[in-house]
Amino acid sequence: MRLLVLFCVVVLGVLLVACGDEPAGQTEPAAEQVGQEAVAKEAAVRSDAVEAEEPQAEPVAAAEAVPETSQEAEAVEPEGQAAAADQAEPEQTDSAEAEPAPEAEEPVQGLSDVAATVVRDADVRIRPGLAWRVTEQLEAGAVVVAQHQAGGWVRIRYGDGLAGWIRVTALDLGQVAEDQILEQAAPPLIAEWRGEEYGVMGQSADGAEVRLLQVVDERPTVIGAPIDEVRLLDADVTLEELPILIADETVVFPGDDFRVGQGKILPKANEWMWLPWGWLLAHNDTHIWQWRPETDELEFIERPPGYAKLSPDGRYLAIADLCPLYWVECPATNNVLLVPLDGSRPISLVEQLSLQGRTPGLYWDGHELLGNMVWSPNGAAVKLYVFVAWDGTFSGQYPVGLVSLVFHADGQVVTFEEWAPFQVGDMSCQTIRWIDDYGDHWFIRDDSVITVDVTCQDEDGEGSGGWLMYTLSGEFLRFDDVGPWRDRDHGAEVIRAAPGGSVLSDHLSTSWSQNDRYAFVVDREAANAWVYDSERHELTSVKLASAQGSSLPLWKPPERTDDLVHFYVHATWNRDQVGATIARLYGVRATILVDAATAIGTILDLGGYHSYPLSGGAQGWHPQGNLFQIASSPFEARDGLAMPDYSGIYEMLTVDEAGALANALMIASTCGESVVSDRWRNRVDWSRDGSWFAVGGQQLDGLFSCPD
């Protein structure tokens, strides 16, 4: 219970956007900027008065758990010197009867009203976050007062009484360290609807609703209210200025226009895909549907229950309706169907096995929950990892019975045992088993090959490890001592042999372009990146377009060599352009866009946000290569890294080739109407020709079901 309350506090304190603390009717800043000393002096004098004048929202039923943040932070000089004389300690007396001096108060943990200088042209926004409206642009050299920070954003005062939020990376705080600035979340933005007060999160993509936040049974819940029925209690922000918040629906925008009113809201989808001819194909718990952009028509087909996954070519929907192992009462049909989307009769796995004279009982193994229900790239077969009781009963010899079934679209079923021994020539082989290893060792490599990782011994007892290769129809191909995942890394020594390659360490991550000409090479130990041109056998260090000469390192180097094993590089190519995120676990070191032909790159400034690099579909290129999308979430500072706050709200950012922000959307990770914080559920993608952009959709069954 305490954890749930804490979760609500975090969501309401961090996610709810600020109730306006900027004056209404903002004017342009004065022509002459005040000097830094004058600003600091003014800050010390006006601190208490200014903060006292700012409106404070009354507590609401939905936000009662949000603690009020003190606005009485002590004003200090920019260098963190002591405050005015009236705050000095009283003089000690010589009286014997004098009471003992009280213990010294603990020092202020953060500073407020710190003079700062804008180091590059920067946008001032009405709230912290790239999705919010820009109110001003300050030029490099402008002098401001930094009041407090929240998640990589700093609230500043500037000009003639103006205020707003700016990214901390755009400020020079002098001798004050970034983490010394007072940490204070922006107060919530409150609205009244039907006599009740709610937190405000954003508006719907079509502009018809305002997304409100309410706590129901200690769980944050998103409510859609008609925009003409909602009244903001903060007059400094209008309903039209709210950013778009996408919840659990599916939304499509024109490929280059993500404004409010341009989004077309479609039904909820567990999974969707763009078809080659431009239609959007999706399914949810009850239906399969298609949207035709040219006519704005929706077509629905009812579907059987169960966990489902579309084939890569969009021709089939594989549906598994199975119970976990050892369930006493099983409500499922315990069958797997391939549903042709052309209206043909579904193909039943149990029926096909019965035709082979087998009547097995099919179950989940209780651990994977069919998270590895994997289609072959050509959509001709799907692999399922299941427990099979071939005689209809349990043998009691768990995990005997764990198999990978390859179910072909033509009805063929092929079984690959998980733990059975393999005899290959004079070698006896066994599947490699790790600690807490429950199986699923078979891996579909391409349209026709499936592999399994084994250790083998010959007649003399000599051992070796490798992969057994089979066709999807079950015919043995060969033993391979090189794992298929190494195919893309085989060029590491070739890259080191290029001129200048001797500087590379042993800790490399490489990603190759689709045509295999370029490799994006990340040296995790050197904290730098290179581009390798295989045609010219050249290795070129990545340079930043905004920097003079070499930029070493590109991100913060690891403190220990042991940390290198925890580094990840997630790269996405579009022709000769690569977008890559370098992270240690979930702490981002850098997100970079690189033109491989010139080796010139741009580090993306996500505004104090943590990039979520490992979620499928969360980043990628427009088909024309002129835009790049990336998902972000608010962060909390930890060990010098940007760590996600797991709040359930993400920003989907679109930037151009130079790294400039083009579009920003807020996306709520939800289960039904409840905001959840432990999973990124949404995916984003352009249509094949780039004319449409789709966002949303949730995997709400099988492995990714909502919590009870």
Side-chain angles (χ1 to χ4, degrees), residues 432-501:
I432 293 179
R433 184 171 185 179
W434 307 99
I435 298 175
D436 296 330
D437 185 358
Y438 297 99
D440 187 27
H441 300 93
W442 292 89
F443 170 74
I444 291 184
R445 182 173 183 178
D446 54 36
D447 290 341
S448 59
V449 176
I450 188 170
T451 66
V452 62
D453 193 4
V454 296
T455 57
C456 302
Q457 284 189 334
D458 59 20
E459 295 176 345
D460 298 328
E462 297 293 331
S464 62
W467 289 76
L468 299 181
M469 306 285 184
Y470 291 81
T471 68
L472 295 183
S473 297
E475 292 83 18
F476 175 72
L477 293 174
R478 66 183 184 277
F479 173 79
D480 192 342
D481 61 356
V482 177
W485 69 84
R486 302 176 193 172
D487 286 357
R488 280 293 191 182
D489 294 333
H490 72 278
E493 294 306 318
V494 175
I495 294 172
R496 287 192 179 92

Side-chain angles (χ1 to χ4, degrees), residues 320-334:
D321 190 19
L322 305 179
C323 286
L325 189 62
Y326 299 130
W327 269 33
V328 177
E329 296 182 4
C330 179
T333 59
N334 273 23

Side-chain angles (χ1 to χ4, degrees), residues 677-688:
S677 61
D678 59 343
R679 281 196 186 99
W680 167 258
R681 298 178 179 277
N682 304 280
R683 62 180 298 254
V684 292
D685 199 8
W686 277 276
S687 61
R688 301 289 181 93

